[in-house]
Amino acid sequence: AQTVTQSQPEMSVQEAETVTLSCTYDTSESDYYLFWYKQPPSRQMILVIRQEAYKQQNATENRFSVNFQKAAKSFSLKISDSQLGDAAMYFCAYRSSQGGSEKLVFGKGTKLTVNP
Amino acid sequence: DSGVTQTPKHLITATGQRVTLRCSPRSGDLSVYWYQQSLDQGLQFLIQYYNGEERAKGNILERFSAQQFPDLHSELNLSSLELGDSALYFCASSVGERREPKNIQYFGAGTRLSVL
C-alpha cells in the first residue's frame, strides 16, 4: 500500500519570504499523481498544485511550485513571497493511476504559520 | 466555492444514535468520495461511488454505509455511533476517469460530527 510522509508537523515563515514543505511517499508504481491541498481555518480542502509522475517538468502555479524527485520519491512544495493568507494546514496526497480506486492517500499534514 | 455541497455543516448527537450526511457533487462529476478527518487518524478514505455503483472501499466501519442515488447525490449513514466517531467528514467529487490527469477531487466544506 502507498504511504505519504510529511516530516514537518509545523513550519513558520516571515511574510514575503520563501518556505519549503517536505513530502515523501512510498509506492511500487511508476505512474501516479501527486497533489498538495491546503486546509485553512475554514476547514475547506483546497487544491494548491498537482503533478503527474510521467512529467519531468516541475509544476508551478503562481507563487507555488514543486520539486518532484521521482527516484527519491520526494515531492516538496515551495511557497514564494509568503502571504498571511497562506497560513493553513498543508497536506500532500498520492493517487494511483492504475486499476481500482482513485482514492487519495494523505500525509499527516504540516501546519504553516505566516508571521507579519 | 468548490461546487460540492455538504449538509449539515454541524451535527451533534448522542452515542448509539444514527445520522445521515448528505453530499451533492459538482455538476457533471460522476464519482463521489467520502473521507474522515480525525486528530488521531488524519485524513482517511472511506468509500467511493461511481455513477451509482460502489467502486472502492477503504477503512470504513461496518456500522457505516453509503449510497449514491440516480441524481448522483450521495449519503453516508453512520449508525450505533461511538465517541470515537466524532470527526470531520468530507465528501469530494471528480469526473471519475482513472487515467485522466484532470480527474481532480474537489472537496466540500465538510460535516463536523460530534458524538456526546
Side-chain angles (χ1 to χ4, degrees):
Chain A
Q2 296 85 15
T3 58
V4 177
T5 302
Q6 294 179 248
S7 59
Q8 306 152 316
E10 295 188 28
M11 293 281 286
S12 64
V13 63
Q14 291 296 124
E15 198 175 1
E17 297 294 308
T18 296
V19 65
T20 299
L21 308 184
S22 300
C23 172
T24 58
Y25 57 94
D26 187 27
T27 183
S28 59
E29 299 174 342
S30 60
D31 195 15
Y32 46 86
Y33 305 99
L34 296 165
F35 305 85
W36 280 97
Y37 279 87
K38 168 185 177 181
Q39 187 179 37
S42 66
R43 309 178 324 196
Q44 180 79 49
M45 294 288 288
I46 302 164
L47 178 66
V48 175
I49 200 166
R50 63 183 172 89
Q51 174 82 40
E52 291 91 26
Y54 60 84
K55 287 187 177 179
Q56 292 187 338
Q57 186 174 5
N58 289 323
T60 299
E61 288 287 343
N62 301 314
R63 298 182 295 107
F64 298 87
S65 62
V66 298
N67 183 3
F68 173 49
Q69 301 288 329
K70 191 172 184 179
K73 297 179 182 174
S74 171
F75 182 61
S76 60
L77 174 70
K78 185 171 84 170
I79 306 174
S80 304
D81 186 25
S82 296
Q83 300 175 359
L84 295 177
D86 295 332
M89 283 290 290
Y90 286 81
F91 292 94
C92 179
Y94 172 102
R95 175 168 75 82
S96 172
S97 69
Q98 298 177 16
S101 170
E102 301 90 66
K103 70 177 183 183
L104 293 172
V105 178
F106 286 94
K108 293 289 188 186
T110 297
K111 182 178 180 181
L112 179 66
T113 300
V114 181
N115 300 309
Chain B
D1 184 7
S2 67
V4 179
T5 303
Q6 286 189 250
T7 56
K9 285 187 170 48
H10 303 277
L11 205 46
I12 302 174
T13 188
T15 54
Q17 295 299 303
R18 172 188 168 95
V19 297
T20 297
L21 282 52
R22 183 188 169 99
C23 171
S24 294
R26 293 188 325 150
S27 176
D29 283 355
L30 299 178
S31 258
V32 169
Y33 311 77
W34 288 97
Y35 293 87
Q36 179 193 60
Q37 185 178 29
S38 62
L39 281 175
D40 52 346
Q41 297 292 326
L43 267 160
Q44 290 208 315
F45 168 72
L46 294 179
I47 196 165
Q48 178 195 0
Y49 279 82
Y50 177 77
N51 203 20
E53 300 290 326
E54 181 184 304
R55 175 169 274 183
K57 262 186 179 180
N59 300 321
I60 188 167
L61 299 172
E62 285 191 10
R63 301 183 285 108
F64 296 0
S65 64
Q67 54 184 330
Q68 186 178 27
F69 296 86
D71 67 352
L72 300 178
H73 91 270
S74 178
E75 293 181 355
L76 179 67
N77 300 295
L78 315 177
S79 61
S80 303
L81 285 167
E82 303 175 359
L83 295 178
D85 298 327
S86 295
L88 187 55
Y89 291 85
F90 282 108
C91 168
S93 76
S94 76
V95 297
E97 296 298 326
R98 287 194 176 95
R99 299 191 65 83
E100 170 53 58
K102 292 186 174 60
N103 187 11
I104 293 167
Q105 292 182 32
Y106 294 91
F107 283 73
T111 293
R112 168 75 68 187
L113 175 65
S114 298
V115 183
L116 305 179

